Amino acid sequence: METKVNAQAKTYVDEGLRQYMLKVYNYMTGGLCLTALAAYLVANTSLIRLFFNITPQGASMSGLGWLFLFAPLIMVFAFGWVLQRGTLQQVQAMFWGFSAVMGISLTPILMAYTGASVTRVFLITAAMFGGMSLYGYTTKKDLSAMGSFLIMGVWGLIVASLINLFFQSPGLSYAVSVIGVLIFTGLTAYDTQAVRQIYYGSDNEDTIARKAIAGALNLYMDFINMFIYLLRLMGDRR
């Protein structure tokens, strides 16, 4: 009798975990679709004039364009505050707003490459992300030590990128892109495992939804960063 009860409890937890992870990936996929839509609308409609000053000599960022370029960084830090203190509707709005703003901020990068290469790199990123996320979900190995090392690597990438703004070294840029792909590939597995481990069947619906959105944001950022670094390595410039 006790064995049957334990089996039923395990089935309940497994089903709850499956629904939770499905919610995480649905949020993440929705965020990526919104990002792609926002970037497409800005690049292919008159909205582009809000963010770029178009002249016969070329295009440059407008004041609003610079604001949206750095807005995602501010919103990432604000997300934690909203997650802890805001309502679930506010957390959802923050996630969708962040996804849309990210699309606008990525427009200058995407416009520098051909549509065919952007599509190709996106599919490669999706395949790599899917494989590493599956590994992170199924592995019994504790990835927390690797995750801590990779997070330190992210800070190293930021420092190296800032330095290269002044030196404009093609070699350093290539190295940063290669290391960036490796770091965010590893973080995909680590974050997937972390997202799974914070699930508790005893959580209420509001808590589960908040955890799902927070997890989706982490995986979304892994995907976006992996995509950008791969695009720099493999994309064909216009």
Side-chain angles (χ1 to χ4, degrees):
M1 182 67 177
E2 183 178 350
T3 302
K4 183 178 180 180
V5 171
N6 289 338
Q8 290 176 338
K10 183 177 185 301
T11 300
Y12 175 78
V13 171
D14 288 347
E15 177 60 22
L17 177 60
R18 189 185 73 83
Q19 292 296 328
Y20 162 73
M21 292 301 297
L22 185 61
K23 186 174 294 187
V24 171
Y25 288 117
N26 283 342
Y27 270 113
M28 178 199 153
T29 302
L32 289 173
C33 290
L34 182 56
T35 296
L37 177 61
Y40 177 83
L41 289 176
V42 171
N44 293 279
T45 68
S46 58
L47 287 173
I48 194 171
R49 297 187 179 277
L50 291 175
F51 305 99
F52 295 92
N53 298 314
I54 309 297
T55 66
Q57 290 74 34
S60 61
M61 298 284 286
S62 67
L64 187 61
W66 282 108
L67 175 63
F68 273 82
L69 183 65
F70 292 102
L73 182 61
I74 299 172
M75 294 179 73
V76 162
F77 288 106
F79 182 84
W81 187 92
V82 175
L83 184 67
Q84 295 296 325
R85 297 172 176 81
T87 65
L88 178 58
Q89 291 72 25
Q90 290 171 333
V91 175
Q92 291 170 328
M94 190 71 172
F95 177 80
W96 298 123
F98 175 82
S99 300
V101 171
M102 179 63 79
I104 296 172
S105 70
L106 288 178
T107 302
I109 298 175
L110 299 179
M111 289 178 64
Y113 298 89
T114 64
S117 68
V118 169
T119 302
R120 183 180 70 249
V121 172
F122 178 86
L123 293 176
I124 293 171
T125 304
M128 292 175 61
F129 178 91
M132 291 305 296
S133 189
L134 179 62
Y135 170 75
Y137 183 81
T138 58
T139 185
K140 302 299 183 182
K141 181 180 179 180
D142 184 5
L143 303 178
S144 56
M146 180 186 77
S148 300
F149 175 77
L150 292 173
I151 290 171
M152 288 190 295
V154 171
W155 289 106
L157 279 178
I158 294 173
V159 172
S161 298
L162 291 174
I163 291 174
N164 205 36
L165 286 176
F166 298 98
F167 291 97
Q168 295 293 309
S169 167
L172 180 57
S173 178
Y174 181 82
V176 166
S177 297
V178 171
I179 296 172
V181 170
L182 295 175
I183 286 176
F184 285 101
T185 300
L187 279 176
T188 297
Y190 165 75
D191 284 332
T192 301
Q193 185 178 79
V195 168
R196 178 181 179 178
Q197 289 176 340
I198 64 172
Y199 170 80
Y200 297 102
S202 58
D203 286 336
N204 58 41
E205 288 298 319
D206 182 87
T207 301
I208 289 175
R210 289 171 186 268
K211 287 183 176 181
I213 296 171
L217 181 64
N218 285 337
L219 294 177
Y220 168 95
M221 291 301 298
D222 292 337
F223 188 102
I224 289 293
N225 280 287
M226 194 191 307
F227 170 72
I228 292 173
Y229 285 119
L230 280 172
L231 191 62
R232 290 175 178 173
L233 289 172
M234 307 171 63
D236 298 324
R237 290 187 172 272
R238 295 182 184 274

